[in-house]
Amino acid sequence: MAGAEDDLRWVFRFSQDGADGHRGLKNELGGKGANLAEMCRIGLPVPPGFTIRASCCQHVASTGGWPDGLDAEVDAALAHVEQAMGLRFGDPESPLLLSVRSGAAVSMPGMMDTVLNLGLNDSVVEGLAEKTDNPRFARDAYRRFIDMFANVVVGVAHERFEEAMEGLKRERGVEEDLQLDAEALADLVDRYKAVYRKETGYMFPEDPKEQLRLSIDAVFASWNSPRAVKYRRINEITGLLGTAVNVQAMVFGNMGDASGTGVCFTRNPSTGERHLYGEFLVNAQGEDVVAGIRTPKNIDQMGRALPTAYDELLEATRRLESHYQDMQDIEFTVQEGKLYLLQTRNGKRTGPAALKIALDMVREGVADRARAVRDLVTPDHLDQLLHPSFDPEQEALTTVGKGLPASPGAAVGQVVFSAEDAEKAAGEGNDVILVRIETSPDDVGGMNAAKGILTARGGMTSHAAVVARGWGKPCVAGCSDIVIDYRTQSFTNGSIKVSAGDWISIDGSTGEVVVGKRSLRSAELSGDFATFMGWTDEFRRLKVRTNADTPEDAKKAVEFGAEGIGLCRTEHMFFESDRVTAVRKMILAETEAERRSHLERLLPMQRRDFAGIFEAMAGRPVTVRLLDPPLHEFLPADPHEHAQVAETLGVSAEELAASVERLREQNPMMGHRGCRLGLTYPEITEMQARALFEAALDVAARGIAVSPEIMVPLVGTAAELANQRACIEKTAEQVFEERKARVEFLIGTMIEVPRAALAAGEIAEHAQFFSFGTNDLTQMTFGFSRDDAGKFLPWYVDNDILPKDPFQSLDETGVGRLVELACREGRDARADLKLGICGEHGGDPASVAFFHRAGLDYVSCSPYRVPIARLAAAQAALRDDP
């Protein structure tokens, strides 16, 4: 935690002599700055530097200027770096060069900006060439700096410099950048400065201090760049102060064959296997590895090229993984044989890898079970484990290429070649594969919208690979077999041509790319999955049920660990063709006697459904919601269907049309539905209650335990629930008397009307449980229609009117306060009141954490969200009481 003295400073230093900061200051120093300080504290080789705290980002954004005292602190920290390196900033005889990098508290790979080789000018570059006795290295560093500074600080397109580079290579008759000698690179520097002058109208700045200040401002500004804002929105990253800025002494991997640079993971981020995984390049700088400019080598080959540095790297990675108790993602540089670590962070990984790493680290003694559950596996990782793969039995399709298996999973979609096209097509409901030569941070919107990503260039640690793995999206990277032509919107491999709109299938586990649609199959869960889920159950307090309307769904949910059914929607049992006719006849009946006769036909059907669900749940509680939707939903809305439906009902088309019109409501969401149906037509409640109790007795008679709970929907007053409860209890006694047997049951209600939450104390006098129907509670609290809000809610989120879509993640400020009020007042009135939630929010991790804090007994969600809810509940408990 930050101390009082930390509140007074803007700048935190780090060097081999120690560090002002540590990893506990992550919110202020960002992940990069906090970890650089931490590595210095544990004695690892880190180039010296300093971090400007993230709260300064807010100050600069709001005022347009630096806070008082920052200039002096930066100057003092810079002097400390000069002393530590034995070099001087801007001095041609002993030149110190700097990097300026971003670093937020949450990793946002590639989203914000970096400037390298800062401090070079026309005189310093000559001094660097003389000091290193390597003019080619010095001029290469200078041209890279001009390119990055121009792009990051003043917005000159990188392509302008690429054009200058390509023009020079053509003139010199070479194909590779490395074939340009020192004299050619001096020419290139002049051309780059001419590009800068043409694009900006100014000369390239020669003053190193001016370069530094402008670069710091640019990194702060990149926090609010469109791509960074979009990335935070996609990943629901909120509440951060901004980005910190890390200014660090440059070390160089491009000073000859005894130098190099690379990126590595302490374990395989795709599979979780325990071995060093990554890529490196000899005589290169870091951007050469991650940008796909050169094809990197496997990290294992570093042992032959740079054996001493490789051994030091292995030892450093072991220490870092043990210290952080997590798989680490590390950037490093070797300068003339000396290893430097530039960054470490918890590595992004796939779902299968996360599960294996968590289990292995517990078995190895690196982490305990609580840490594994709380920190090493996320709900998104579990979601990935349920992703489909290709069916191996399907007949082979035409292979168009094979690349690197950068992020596992299978994806099928239509080809698009731009992020904009991907977002547009996905918004129209189409499945797409984003195909790019290489991705950049500007592509994140399209990458998120696409089902999968295919790139022609880049390695296993390229931008495409890292982002795809973090999101659990299938990705095939570096597929050099294909040639992409953005102009013709196509890619080719020999005679095979694939155009925009064509279907392809990619396998991120094998790297295979085929033309056409491959069949998908569901994932198979391993024994490790069951073991890990067992660990989650050791820590969570919230129980997890499922929303299931059929025995099949109930069985699947039990496989995933569901402890009961929190919502069985009985109306879903009525839409089959043989049943809907009886329902429609009941709706059209003009007398109670007629309605009862049609309900008699539905009784055995509903009884069979309930019996199947009770059997599947084998004694686990089953909450059955009585009929909820308005009756018009069972009648055809399309007038063209009236004649056909009328014939099956034995009425005229005109009569049916008149009935449809009679039942039509101006606002059916708040119309004649829920408990209002049972109040006006008690025979519906009686039939459903009878079917339930008879099914429960039938199943119990076969020696299978049953635990029914009857839920009355849309209650707003205590009198409504009292009426329906009396009806249910009367029916129960009739059935028990007829069968000479009894079962225990509960009667409760769904809290989905704001008035019910406000009157919870009165309603609890008649309820044995509350189940929060947060879908409708959200609709009615906001006055939003779920069916229509999709037209404007994305705009609300994009423009910070709302932090999240309230139908996806619970609105704690409004809806959450109603939930808390109802919980408190309900339990005040009835101490043993059972509390649960059965809306869609029951499977949302952030909402689950709120329900844990609110004191609910259980959450209920769809079967495939049950594992996610179990993990989220365990994490909420561990974070509440770590």
Side-chain angles (χ1 to χ4, degrees):
M1 298 297 292
E5 69 279 4
D6 296 331
D7 295 332
L8 304 177
R9 67 171 72 180
W10 292 108
V11 174
F12 291 70
R13 306 174 189 178
F14 57 86
S15 68
Q16 289 299 108
D17 296 332
D20 297 333
H22 51 81
R23 62 177 172 171
L25 295 177
K26 186 176 180 180
N27 285 339
E28 278 286 3
L29 302 186
K32 184 186 293 289
N35 287 334
L36 286 169
E38 191 75 12
M39 286 193 289
C40 288
R41 282 174 173 265
I42 63 175
L44 291 174
V46 174
F50 57 90
T51 301
I52 305 173
R53 65 194 304 163
S55 51
C56 190
C57 183
Q58 290 183 334
H59 186 282
V60 171
S62 61
T63 68
W66 285 18
D68 292 341
L70 179 57
D71 278 297
E73 288 191 50
V74 167
D75 287 343
L78 181 58
H80 178 77
V81 176
E82 290 177 323
Q83 182 180 14
M85 291 293 290
L87 304 170
R88 291 186 298 279
F89 189 53
D91 183 350
E93 295 186 6
S94 188
L96 170 68
L97 302 187
L98 302 173
S99 66
V100 180
R101 303 175 189 263
S102 61
V106 176
S107 176
M108 298 170 56
M111 291 304 106
M112 293 172 294
D113 288 326
T114 294
V115 180
L116 304 178
N117 303 331
L118 190 144
L120 283 170
N121 55 29
D122 289 347
S123 59
V124 171
V125 72
E126 296 305 324
L128 183 65
E130 183 176 344
K131 183 175 179 62
T132 61
D133 194 24
N134 193 337
R136 188 194 184 282
F137 153 72
R139 285 159 188 158
D140 185 49
Y142 196 13
R143 68 94 185 171
R144 290 172 186 264
F145 170 52
I146 295 170
D147 183 350
M148 295 186 79
F149 183 92
N151 179 251
V152 170
V153 177
V154 293
V156 179
H158 174 68
E159 287 77 9
R160 302 287 81 81
F161 299 99
E162 281 289 301
E163 291 165 3
M165 166 75 82
E166 294 303 316
L168 179 62
K169 287 195 292 187
R170 284 194 299 270
E171 293 174 18
R172 300 279 173 150
V174 300
E175 294 184 359
E176 300 294 334
D177 300 1
L178 288 173
Q179 294 174 289
L180 295 172
D181 60 17
E183 185 255 332
L185 287 172
D187 185 359
L188 186 62
V189 166
D190 289 339
R191 297 187 187 202
Y192 274 20
K193 288 197 288 185
V195 169
Y196 185 94
R197 187 169 59 252
K198 178 182 178 181
E199 295 291 326
T200 67
Y202 298 97
M203 300 295 288
F204 188 78
E206 289 272 314
D207 180 3
K209 289 288 186 73
E210 180 186 4
Q211 294 172 0
L212 178 59
R213 177 156 190 146
L214 290 172
S215 296
I216 290 171
D217 284 340
V219 171
F220 277 140
S222 70
W223 173 254
N224 289 315
S225 68
R227 69 187 185 217
V229 171
K230 179 175 285 189
Y231 185 90
R232 291 197 295 275
R233 184 174 68 249
I234 290 171
N235 288 276
E236 298 185 349
I237 298 171
T238 60
L240 302 187
L241 298 171
T243 181
V245 176
N246 300 286
V247 180
Q248 192 172 17
M250 284 292 301
V251 290
F252 298 96
N254 58 339
M255 292 185 69
D257 291 341
S259 302
T261 188
V263 176
C264 66
F265 296 81
T266 55
R267 305 192 186 217
N268 188 313
S270 290
T271 67
E273 293 176 272
R274 189 186 183 190
H275 64 80
L276 198 62
Y277 174 96
E279 297 166 326
F280 89 109
L281 280 169
V282 170
N283 195 20
Q285 281 199 241
E287 65 265 29
D288 295 338
V289 176
V290 299
I293 296 170
R294 289 169 55 187
T295 302
K297 299 179 183 294
N298 189 288
I299 193 72
D300 294 340
Q301 297 181 44
M302 183 179 167
R304 293 191 292 274
L306 302 167
T308 302
Y310 182 68
D311 289 342
E312 293 173 356
L313 178 64
L314 287 177
E315 175 59 25
T317 59
R318 282 192 288 267
R319 288 181 62 188
L320 284 170
E321 188 175 89
S322 176
H323 185 73
Y324 282 94
Q325 297 181 299
D326 202 346
M327 183 260 280
Q328 294 298 291
D329 171 2
I330 299 164
E331 294 179 19
F332 65 91
T333 286
V334 180
Q335 177 176 299
E336 297 182 308
K338 179 171 175 55
L339 174 71
Y340 292 95
L341 302 182
L342 307 182
Q343 173 171 285
T344 192
R345 59 189 174 194
N346 295 337
K348 294 186 181 297
R349 66 212 74 179
T350 64
L355 190 65
K356 178 172 174 54
I357 289 169
L359 268 71
D360 285 351
M361 285 192 164
V362 172
R363 291 164 182 157
E364 295 160 13
V366 176
D368 59 20
R369 290 183 179 184
R371 166 132 179 107
V373 170
R374 184 182 63 242
D375 300 316
L376 301 188
V377 180
T378 69
D380 284 343
H381 287 143
L382 292 189
D383 200 21
Q384 291 174 36
L385 294 173
L386 306 176
H387 283 180
S389 59
F390 288 134
D391 183 355
E393 304 299 323
Q394 184 186 11
E395 185 177 340
L397 299 175
T398 302
T399 299
V400 70
K402 188 164 185 178
L404 299 172
S407 184
V412 178
Q414 293 175 281
V415 169
V416 294
F417 289 96
S418 73
E420 294 76 15
D421 289 345
E423 291 187 78
K424 180 181 177 183
E428 294 170 352
N430 299 313
D431 293 342
V432 296
I433 304 293
L434 178 61
V435 180
R436 301 286 291 164
I437 295 173
E438 60 193 17
T439 63
S440 75
D442 291 329
D443 294 320
V444 292
M447 295 170 75
N448 183 63
K451 293 294 183 182
I453 301 156
L454 169 64
T455 67
R457 291 208 304 239
M460 298 291 281
T461 54
S462 65
H463 176 264
V466 171
V467 173
R469 279 198 297 268
W471 283 343
K473 287 185 180 289
C475 176
V476 174
C479 185
S480 58
D481 297 337
I482 65 173
V483 177
I484 298 173
D485 188 337
Y486 292 145
R487 182 180 55 83
T488 62
Q489 292 282 283
S490 66
F491 69 83
T492 56
N493 182 358
S495 61
I496 303 173
K497 181 178 181 180
V498 178
S499 300
D502 291 345
W503 288 87
I504 63 171
S505 305
I506 66 171
D507 190 335
S509 301
T510 66
E512 184 181 22
V513 182
V514 300
V515 179
K517 300 181 183 181
R518 288 197 63 178
S519 299
L520 300 174
R521 68 173 185 176
S522 299
E524 296 179 3
L525 300 178
S526 66
D528 282 352
F529 177 85
T531 298
F532 180 79
M533 294 312 301
W535 293 354
T536 70
D537 296 341
E538 294 176 13
F539 300 107
R540 64 185 171 89
R541 179 189 59 75
L542 276 174
K543 294 187 178 299
V544 178
R545 299 192 191 182
T546 189
N547 300 340
D549 312 319
T550 67
E552 293 73 27
D553 283 349
K555 290 174 184 175
K556 175 58 67 176
V558 170
E559 290 176 19
F560 287 143
E563 297 165 287
I565 289 179
L567 176 62
C568 175
R569 293 156 286 209
T570 54
E571 61 270 11
H572 288 189
M573 302 172 177
F574 292 155
F575 284 102
E576 295 180 17
S577 58
D578 62 330
R579 303 182 184 196
V580 74
T581 298
V583 174
R584 286 168 171 169
K585 288 182 176 180
M586 184 269 293
I587 292 170
L588 298 178
E590 295 183 357
T591 67
E592 179 182 332
E594 287 182 72
R595 278 194 297 276
R596 287 189 180 277
S597 68
H598 296 306
L599 287 167
E600 281 294 321
R601 285 192 56 207
L602 289 169
L603 175 64
M605 303 175 191
Q606 188 130 84
R607 184 170 56 225
R608 284 195 301 272
D609 290 335
F610 288 145
I613 289 172
F614 286 139
E615 289 176 3
M617 297 312 290
R620 298 174 182 86
V622 175
T623 302
V624 175
R625 183 178 70 185
L626 299 179
L627 190 63
D628 182 51
L631 296 179
H632 80 275
E633 289 192 8
F634 294 99
L635 297 176
D638 187 348
H640 296 95
E641 298 179 30
H642 286 178
Q644 181 181 353
V645 173
E647 185 177 350
T648 64
L649 297 177
V651 298
S652 69
E654 292 75 18
E655 288 176 302
L656 179 60
S659 296
V660 171
E661 179 60 26
R662 174 173 53 84
L663 291 169
R664 186 174 66 87
E665 298 183 83
Q666 295 297 322
N667 192 343
M669 182 187 79
M670 293 187 281
H672 192 190
R673 55 168 286 217
C675 68
R676 302 156 196 170
L677 289 172
L679 286 161
T680 52
Y681 301 124
E683 55 271 22
I684 296 177
T685 300
E686 291 170 14
M687 183 279 288
Q688 291 197 290
R690 175 171 284 275
L692 184 143
F693 290 124
E694 289 180 351
L697 290 170
D698 288 343
V699 173
R702 295 197 293 272
I704 301 172
V706 294
S707 182
E709 301 176 350
I710 302 176
M711 182 161 67
V712 180
L714 217 69
V715 160
T717 71
E720 288 172 322
L721 180 58
N723 175 289
Q724 289 293 279
R725 176 168 182 165
C727 182
I728 294 165
E729 290 177 331
K730 177 182 176 182
T731 304
E733 290 305 318
Q734 290 173 348
V735 173
F736 296 162
E737 178 61 27
E738 293 165 5
R739 295 291 190 92
K740 306 302 180 188
R742 306 180 69 87
V743 293
E744 295 297 320
F745 64 94
L746 300 179
I747 297 175
T749 187
M750 206 170 187
I751 303 292
E752 50 192 329
V753 175
R755 190 187 189 282
L758 297 171
E762 296 177 9
I763 292 173
E765 295 177 11
H766 307 280
Q768 294 166 291
F769 67 87
F770 284 171
S771 180
F772 292 94
T774 51
N775 301 344
D776 269 353
L777 190 57
T778 298
Q779 289 195 97
M780 295 190 184
T781 301
F782 273 98
F784 290 164
S785 164
R786 247 191 321 168
D787 297 328
D788 300 318
K791 298 172 184 175
F792 59 83
L793 274 180
W795 188 93
Y796 268 49
V797 175
D798 290 349
N799 290 275
D800 296 323
I801 305 299
L802 288 173
K804 297 179 182 179
D805 181 337
F807 292 107
Q808 296 180 16
S809 192
L810 190 81
D811 163 51
E812 296 184 16
T813 303
V815 179
R817 288 184 68 186
L818 289 174
V819 171
E820 290 173 323
L821 174 68
C823 290
R824 183 173 62 253
E825 296 196 356
R827 284 227 169 107
D828 285 345
R830 184 187 288 267
D832 62 349
L833 185 71
K834 185 183 293 188
L835 299 171
I837 177 264
C838 60
E840 292 299 319
H841 300 95
D844 169 62
S847 304
V848 170
F850 171 82
F851 298 134
H852 167 85
R853 297 193 302 272
L856 270 64
D857 295 301
Y858 68 86
V859 297
S860 187
C861 55
S862 63
Y864 281 87
R865 300 290 289 177
V866 166
I868 295 166
R870 290 167 67 189
L871 175 58
Q875 291 178 335
L878 284 165
R879 287 164 185 161
D880 188 46
D881 184 21

